[in-house]
Amino acid sequence: MAKNVIIIGGGPAGIEAARTLARSGHTPILLEKTSRLGGHLARWDRLFPDGQSAAALLESMLSDMDGVKYFTETDIIAINRLAGRYQVRLTNGISITADALLLTTGFDLFDASRKQEYGYGIYDRVITNADLEAYFSTRDDWRVQDPKVIGFVHCVGSRDEKVCNRQCSKVCCATAVKQATEIRQLFPEATVYCFYMDLRMFGRSYEDMYLNAQLDGVRFVRGRVSEVSEDGSGRLFVKAEDTLLGKPLRLTMDLLVLMSGIVAPEANKDFARMLKVQLGQDGFFMPQNQILDPCLSSRQGLFFAGTCTGPKTLPETLTEARSAAMRINDYLTEEKSGRLRLQTLKELRDSVKRDR
């Protein structure tokens, strides 16, 4: 018998979990607050390490949504657990009841304007990784006009005690290398710098991507950018330190790209309050056991998948979404078996009473 499963968050994790649950015979109901499904994937151009099209991947996923119900532009007012089921009340007046609830609330990008020393929101030619990715998709951003010198600043809002984000965002180094290579291909005469703390290129083919970037002429500088200013023509003056050479640097640039890190969405606080579950100090949800069962929460029938529990790569996110769907299917099957056992015991007791 098909069971309803509510999935909150229509990014890659929510979509993949919904598709897997539908193939298992259940009825997933996907709730997304924005106007379209896809999350950050819908706003990205190319994916590391091999440059696969994000739009093509998302289109492939959305083309196989048979049996999935979904609502967009939908906010959640309240979540209650009644008689062993979850009831979710929406802003459009609809209430949905389900046998299990999956959170795939994803992540936000760090607000780069909080790092005032970099000048985002102050100087026109200081942009973020998301801004540059949008340019790759549209080729339409007046700030990116045949730049001759370009800089990338890693770990903006990640591993930073000053902004209370100690976690590594896990994907920023690879994204910076990918974008630095892409912009070199678009502007082959440009000089491109990457300022990093240390490069965390842990995935398959990631190291090859880094080596290829070096061969393409990307210059990697170990050290932080300390200050950014602007001259009258709009060019940027960037102060940094090369910690390997032990000397300060002062460079003039046409474009500076800030690699905004992954942070927990503010909405996690509301869901944690509604569901009475724990958040970590980083604002991400805490699973019952991060090693043995990272998809399981401390509440019965409530599950997690994707970056709602911390930074992950896209392949990790999709794998965890499938795992969560399988875990939910096991839970619903066990729940049904338990009810059948109780019903059988009741019928047996009633039969004994009649025989007496």
Side-chain angles (χ1 to χ4, degrees), residues 125-316:
R125 288 182 173 82
V126 178
I127 67 174
T128 66
N129 43 0
D131 297 328
L132 183 58
E133 202 69 26
Y135 169 77
F136 288 148
S137 295
T138 64
R139 297 292 193 273
D140 182 22
D141 190 329
W142 68 268
R143 298 171 295 183
V144 187
Q145 294 180 348
D146 194 23
K148 302 302 182 186
V149 184
I150 306 160
F152 288 80
V153 182
H154 292 220
C155 296
V156 177
S158 300
R159 303 170 65 195
D160 189 339
E161 290 280 0
K162 292 180 180 179
V163 295
C164 302
N165 290 333
R166 292 197 302 271
Q167 75 273 9
C168 171
S169 289
K170 204 168 189 179
V171 297
C172 289
C173 286
T175 300
V177 173
K178 178 198 83 81
Q179 290 190 335
T181 302
E182 282 184 282
I183 206 160
R184 273 280 296 165
Q185 292 168 352
L186 287 176
F187 305 104
E189 300 303 317
T191 302
V192 179
Y193 295 90
C194 273
F195 298 94
Y196 68 96
M197 295 170 61
D198 49 63
L199 286 170
R200 299 189 170 188
M201 307 293 290
F202 60 88
R204 185 178 185 182
S205 300
Y206 291 15
E207 192 70 18
D208 291 338
M209 185 172 64
Y210 164 55
L211 293 174
N212 288 334
Q214 288 182 302
L215 292 174
D216 286 340
V218 177
R219 304 181 183 186
F220 289 87
V221 179
R222 189 178 189 277
R224 284 190 176 274
V225 170
S226 59
E227 183 182 344
V228 179
S229 58
E230 186 183 66
D231 67 10
S233 66
R235 298 200 76 196
L236 302 169
F237 291 113
V238 177
K239 290 183 179 180
E241 180 184 8
D242 188 326
T243 58
L244 292 179
L245 296 179
K247 67 177 185 179
L249 298 176
R250 182 179 174 87
L251 301 168
T252 303
M253 295 187 174
D254 303 294
L255 188 68
L256 189 67
V257 186
L258 307 181
M259 308 308 296
S260 292
I262 288 176
V263 295
E266 281 296 313
N268 280 6
K269 296 176 183 177
D270 294 328
F271 291 127
R273 174 181 51 79
M274 293 179 194
L275 293 163
K276 298 180 175 61
V277 292
Q278 183 182 0
L279 295 177
Q281 290 184 343
D282 54 10
F284 293 100
F285 290 104
M286 291 293 294
Q288 191 174 82
N289 189 308
Q290 295 187 70
I291 298 173
L292 292 177
D293 210 338
C295 299
L296 187 64
S297 81
S298 58
R299 296 208 63 187
Q300 187 175 14
L302 174 64
F303 300 84
F304 304 127
T307 53
C308 72
T309 55
K312 296 176 181 70
T313 64
L314 182 57
E316 290 171 332

